[in-house]
Amino acid sequence: MKIESKGAKVFQVVDVALLSVLGLLFLIPYYLIFIGSFTDESAFLVHGYSLWPSQWSLEAYGSVFATGSNIFQSLVSSVITTLSGTAIQVTVTTLTAFGLSRRNLFGKKALMLILLFSMLFSGGLVPTYIWIAGKLHLRNNYLAVILPGALNAWNCILTINYLRGVPQEMEEAAKLDGCGCWKMFFLIYVPVSVPIIATITLFAAVQYWNIWAEPTLYFDSNHRNMLPLTALLREIIQEDISPTGGNVRGVSETVKMATVVVATVPIICVYPFLQKYFMSGLMLGSVKG
């Protein structure tokens, strides 16, 4: 039986206490917004934020999902962007990591330097816009917000480190059985890489779900229905544009909070399904190599 030292016990107590306090600091604001979204607007203006609604009301959600509201269109846009963007990024990142994890790859050091450089520096907003909108002609196209993130350098490095830890004996046995690169990738490496693939899938899904700046650049006013929820949420909160698209000054606070809840709940619901892979994949991908 392992006996922990007194210092280790003190550390665990302090660690749990500190993380609990930080967890509450992150949770309480969202809880107040969630409760506020179910509060009657007049009662909210009188009592402000509270731990329990002083007067229950679904009026805010009625406004959010009213006929003519852009919420449904934005939700569909977010789903399209997230699913397609995540699928493309995970595929490109995993294939790139598989190639860069080969020990005998020609020019491997130069390619790794390029990958690291792309993680630290970007081309800048103006050159990127000129390339996407001017050269590729992708304005008002979902690919304008999907393709720039097709290869995520950090996720790729995590995956490379994870794949390097796969026993060489498995690869040698596959080669003896006549497996080529593609067959080896799909039959050997993908099945044993489920934790890291689930981890980068979660990262990619959060990245694409929360995207808002790029859609406002590449989708004009005639394609406002293509804006994802996060971009629409920004307009509602900062510019007082109603969910139906009208420039109504003074959109109610409860409607804004209801929109925040609608925009955040879907991605929060994804976490429990990938949580069991998340920490194991992240830790293994960070330390192997």
Side-chain angles (χ1 to χ4, degrees):
M1 182 178 179
K2 184 179 180 181
I3 300 177
E4 295 183 348
S5 64
K6 184 177 179 181
K9 293 180 179 179
V10 172
F11 174 79
Q12 286 187 352
V13 172
V14 174
D15 187 38
V16 171
L18 179 61
L19 291 178
S20 298
V21 172
L22 290 175
L24 288 175
L25 290 177
F26 286 114
L27 181 61
I28 289 176
Y30 187 80
Y31 173 79
L32 294 176
I33 291 175
F34 180 80
I35 292 299
S37 67
F38 288 98
T39 305
D40 180 74
E41 176 68 17
S42 58
F44 178 81
L45 293 176
V46 173
H47 302 286
Y49 293 99
S50 60
L51 297 178
W52 197 252
S54 55
Q55 184 176 342
W56 285 89
S57 175
L58 295 176
E59 183 179 350
Y61 288 95
S63 299
V64 169
F65 295 108
T67 303
S69 174
N70 292 322
I71 293 295
F72 284 116
Q73 295 175 338
S74 295
L75 179 60
V76 172
S77 179
S78 290
V79 171
I80 292 174
T81 303
T82 301
L83 292 182
S84 56
T86 300
I88 291 174
Q89 184 181 122
V90 171
T91 301
V92 173
T93 299
T94 307
L95 287 172
T96 304
F98 175 70
L100 291 176
S101 67
R102 305 294 86 202
R103 290 171 171 79
N104 57 349
L105 178 67
F106 177 76
K108 180 179 177 180
K109 290 185 177 180
L111 293 174
M112 286 298 299
L113 286 175
I114 293 173
L115 184 67
L116 290 172
F117 186 87
S118 69
M119 185 172 67
L120 300 175
F121 304 98
S122 67
L125 178 60
V126 174
T128 302
Y129 181 84
I130 293 175
W131 179 256
I132 296 296
K135 299 296 183 180
L136 298 180
H137 305 289
L138 291 178
R139 285 207 67 190
N140 303 316
N141 191 317
Y142 287 116
L143 292 177
V145 299
I146 292 175
L147 289 183
L151 177 62
N152 185 286
W154 172 247
N155 290 347
C156 189
I157 292 172
L158 288 179
T159 310
I160 290 171
N161 290 334
Y162 187 95
L163 295 179
R164 283 175 179 171
V166 176
Q168 283 294 107
E169 292 77 8
M170 296 178 62
E171 183 174 334
E172 293 172 359
K175 288 180 179 179
L176 290 176
D177 290 337
C179 285
C181 287
W182 287 104
K183 197 172 183 179
M184 188 185 303
F185 173 74
F186 286 107
L187 297 183
I188 303 297
Y189 281 88
V190 170
V192 301
S193 303
V194 172
I196 193 64
I197 291 176
T199 301
I200 65 175
T201 298
L202 181 59
F203 285 163
V206 173
Q207 172 189 333
Y208 280 108
W209 183 268
N210 290 333
I211 199 168
W212 64 270
E214 289 82 355
T216 59
L217 286 175
Y218 299 119
F219 302 155
D220 58 32
S221 58
N222 295 325
H223 295 79
R224 192 171 180 274
N225 60 312
M226 296 178 65
L227 289 177
L229 268 176
T230 47
L232 182 64
L233 175 62
R234 173 186 172 276
E235 289 187 351
I236 292 174
I237 293 178
Q238 294 189 354
E239 302 177 17
D240 279 349
I241 295 178
S242 71
T244 56
N247 294 321
V248 180
R249 305 305 300 177
V251 175
S252 68
E253 294 299 318
T254 55
V255 170
K256 293 179 181 179
M257 288 184 283
T259 308
V260 171
V261 173
V262 172
T264 54
V265 164
I267 197 65
I268 291 175
C269 293
V270 174
Y271 273 87
F273 297 100
L274 298 177
Q275 183 65 35
K276 61 180 180 180
Y277 301 111
F278 180 72
M279 289 306 301
S280 60
L282 185 60
M283 293 300 296
L284 289 172
S286 299
V287 301
K288 281 189 178 183

